[in-house]
Amino acid sequence: MHHEGNLRKLKSQLMNPVEYGMPLNKVVVPLNPLIGKYISLQYKGLINCIHCGRRTSKSFSQGYCFPCMRSLAECDTCIVRPETCHFAEGSCRDEKWGETNCMQDHVVYLANSSAAKVGITRSTQVPTRWIDQGASQTLPIFKVGTRLLSGKLEHILRQQVSDRTDWRKMLKGEPKAIDLRALRDQLFEAMRSQIESLIREEEDGAIEWLDAELLDIRYPVLEYPEKANPLNFDNTHEIHGRLMGIKGQYLILDKGVVNIRKFGGYRIRLSY
Ligand SMILES: [Zn+2]
């Protein structure tokens, strides 16, 4: 079988294990049935911007052309640094986008992908965001009304816990379980005065403390690699091998791993 189209990030569904699909030219190819089988991704030497479709020789911010990267709100630096959201100052690149994406409920969460980390996401992106990061355990700890506020909380908490995922470690196996509820309580204790002073600055009820359930996420992986060797369409026109599993946005092949999200807009032909 063959499917050709421009890569977009993998679609996922929270099942046990997670179910993945690869969107290619209006179809979503179910990937779980291909695990254990030989697959090939052939790069056709063409990249189309995932926003405007324009042909671009280089992709920026995981799939955009240069003009889109410079003009779209979703490519602004405040997206990676949410505590710098400048919507309230009236300088958002696209107010409508900001309204639907940033001026919405967000959660601050703890996760375990290779070690403990803190992160934020729009409430509607739960659990997609966690699956995209390859988290094995997650625990929402705050609910807030805007991206900016979630960023300010994350900014406080990352003095104690990393906000990064070590993807090499994440792809080497299941992480050791962490008691995220105990970690949350420790963090609240350690950062109490900073969190409380932020709460005082904000309107009543703007920050909601959560007592949520821990979520365990399992990924469809036959065997983890000893070393996660990254494969890249900029160096090779064909990535192929036996599909050993999928975790986060990574396909784990017997010859190496490929981050599908990183190659958004690349035109490829999937064969299996
Ligand atoms: Zn574009």
Side-chain angles (χ1 to χ4, degrees):
M1 286 284 283
H2 306 283
H3 295 278
E4 188 173 324
N6 294 83
L7 285 176
R8 300 300 303 255
K9 80 186 194 80
L10 299 176
K11 293 213 179 286
S12 61
Q13 237 188 321
L14 182 63
M15 305 289 269
N16 187 13
V18 173
E19 279 188 11
Y20 282 100
M22 180 179 279
L24 281 176
N25 192 21
K26 296 184 185 119
V27 299
V28 178
V29 184
L31 292 180
N32 292 45
L34 302 182
I35 292 172
K37 303 202 167 115
Y38 176 89
I39 66 164
S40 152
L41 297 162
Q42 198 189 353
Y43 172 42
K44 309 302 272 184
L46 176 70
I47 308 170
N48 296 96
C49 172
I50 58 174
H51 180 76
C52 71
R54 183 195 329 246
R55 187 171 180 167
T56 175
S57 54
K58 193 170 174 260
S59 122
F60 300 87
S61 302
Q62 310 189 107
Y64 296 91
C65 67
F66 188 72
C68 282
M69 188 266 288
R70 291 296 298 269
S71 62
L72 292 176
E74 55 266 48
C75 298
D76 203 344
T77 51
C78 47
I79 297 305
V80 274
R81 295 175 52 89
E83 72 277 17
T84 64
C85 172
H86 45 96
F87 186 93
E89 285 126 66
S91 54
C92 184
R93 285 180 173 182
D94 179 349
E95 285 218 356
K96 216 170 142 211
W97 192 91
E99 284 285 356
T100 29
N101 289 277
C102 303
M103 305 308 283
Q104 299 288 335
D105 283 355
H106 277 64
V107 295
V108 181
Y109 61 87
L110 297 176
N112 176 15
S113 44
S114 57
K117 68 157 274 177
V118 57
I120 66 142
T121 185
R122 202 164 6 117
S123 299
T124 54
Q125 287 301 104
V126 167
T128 306
R129 176 76 178 150
W130 300 336
I131 295 171
D132 286 350
Q133 291 179 336
S136 292
Q137 298 175 286
T138 59
L139 180 71
I141 57 172
F142 288 110
K143 186 172 163 208
V144 297
T146 62
R147 184 176 172 83
L148 175 62
L149 202 41
S150 68
K152 286 183 178 174
L153 281 164
E154 184 190 43
H155 189 66
I156 294 173
L157 297 174
R158 74 169 174 240
Q159 296 169 54
Q160 300 271 325
V161 193
S162 168
D163 60 345
R164 298 293 164 97
T165 300
D166 179 343
W167 64 268
R168 284 180 192 275
K169 263 176 91 181
M170 183 271 284
L171 292 172
K172 274 166 84 174
E174 294 284 326
K176 236 171 64 190
I178 298 174
D179 186 343
L180 292 179
R181 294 168 73 94
L183 176 65
R184 172 197 63 191
D185 296 345
Q186 280 167 30
L187 280 173
F188 284 174
E189 215 34 62
M191 307 315 283
R192 181 166 296 276
S193 64
Q194 289 187 47
I195 295 170
E196 281 175 352
S197 99
L198 181 62
I199 289 174
R200 277 193 300 274
E201 283 169 23
E202 303 293 328
E203 285 170 42
D204 279 353
I207 297 176
E208 194 183 321
W209 304 71
L210 295 178
D211 187 18
E213 290 298 312
L214 186 86
L215 176 68
D216 287 304
I217 304 176
R218 282 192 54 240
Y219 296 89
V221 180
L222 281 183
E223 202 180 305
Y224 284 101
E226 277 185 23
K227 197 169 147 260
N229 167 38
L231 303 172
N232 189 328
F233 288 113
D234 295 324
N235 308 331
T236 170
H237 274 211
E238 196 190 2
I239 289 176
H240 62 101
R242 188 171 172 226
L243 181 62
M244 302 307 284
I246 311 166
K247 191 177 187 189
Q249 281 286 323
Y250 284 86
L251 299 186
I252 303 169
L253 300 169
D254 55 357
K255 295 180 176 67
V257 300
V258 55
N259 179 357
I260 293 300
R261 187 173 200 175
K262 184 173 165 186
F263 298 102
Y266 281 58
R267 189 162 187 91
I268 62 118
R269 180 179 163 97
L270 168 69
S271 312
Y272 53 91

